[in-house]
Amino acid sequence: DPRFDLAILKVDAPAEILHPVALGASSSLRVGQRAIVIGNPFGQFSRTLTTGVVSALERTLEGQDGRPISGVIQTDAAINRGNSGGPLLDSSGRVIGINTAIFSPSGTNAGVGFAVPVDTIKRVLPELMALGRYRHPYLGIRYAYAITPGLAASLDLAVESGLLLVQLDGCSPLENAGV
């Protein structure tokens, strides 16, 4: 799945030599808790481990297709080119995410790395395995605000609750439906 930077690999090895890692729960993550990255930075330094903390939760990145990827984990553990696809672990060694991107003006670690949360992975993998792809739900809302009684009064709206759509993505399902 290019959007979440996930792939399923078939490993041709006897089951007795495979030792799967435990999966954690990204829903219980807290800013400041330990984060551990395992990867192969620059494709040259296999079995590399770096540590840091969960810097932020529920970040949004722009995906390769220009659509937002919501809910990603931000960490300051060193992630460099080549770490994508490696695990982000908690201090007990449970997978809490899969490393996917960095924000860096220089192209190397600047302390701002991102991982797809394991709860997202648990939701996506069954469909990815069954269909060979994941069907991303998408309406095309770029910006929206929750309507509160105060906002409704200031804009002279006929409703006091709901969602005020401010901007839609071009050629999105909602735009095509005439919203």
Side-chain angles (χ1 to χ4, degrees):
D1 181 77
R3 167 159 273 222
F4 286 126
D5 196 18
L6 296 174
I8 298 172
L9 304 175
K10 182 177 181 180
V11 178
D12 187 18
E16 59 272 5
I17 68 167
L18 299 176
H19 305 284
V21 292
L23 299 180
S26 47
S27 60
S28 62
L29 294 178
R30 300 291 176 255
V31 172
Q33 80 177 69
R34 170 93 46 209
I36 301 164
V37 168
I38 297 177
N40 184 19
F42 308 108
Q44 298 180 25
F45 306 106
S46 64
R47 299 182 309 271
T48 297
L49 180 140
T50 60
T51 64
V53 297
V54 171
S55 304
L57 298 167
E58 297 296 326
R59 290 289 195 214
T60 300
L61 299 176
E62 185 173 318
Q64 291 179 338
D65 59 2
R67 292 176 16 198
I69 303 171
S70 300
V72 297
I73 302 165
Q74 181 182 327
T75 181
D76 70 346
I79 297 176
N80 288 293
R81 191 173 40 84
N83 286 109
S84 182
L88 180 68
L89 307 168
D90 65 15
S91 58
S92 296
R94 294 176 297 233
V95 176
I96 55 174
I98 298 292
N99 305 319
T100 190
I102 61 171
F103 177 81
S104 171
S106 68
T108 60
N109 176 51
V112 185
F114 301 98
V116 175
V118 73
D119 292 351
T120 299
I121 296 162
K122 290 175 185 176
R123 184 182 76 244
V124 168
L125 280 183
E127 187 170 319
L128 190 56
M129 290 175 68
L131 302 177
R133 65 185 182 92
Y134 180 71
R135 298 171 295 183
H136 292 269
Y138 174 66
L139 294 174
I141 300 170
R142 174 123 343 211
Y143 296 107
Y145 295 99
I147 298 173
T148 62
L151 180 62
S154 67
L155 296 177
D156 197 28
L157 298 175
V159 297
E160 291 190 3
S161 65
L163 191 63
L164 176 63
L165 301 179
V166 177
Q167 183 179 7
L168 300 176
D169 290 332
C171 298
S172 67
L174 286 178
E175 183 179 80
N176 292 339
V179 173

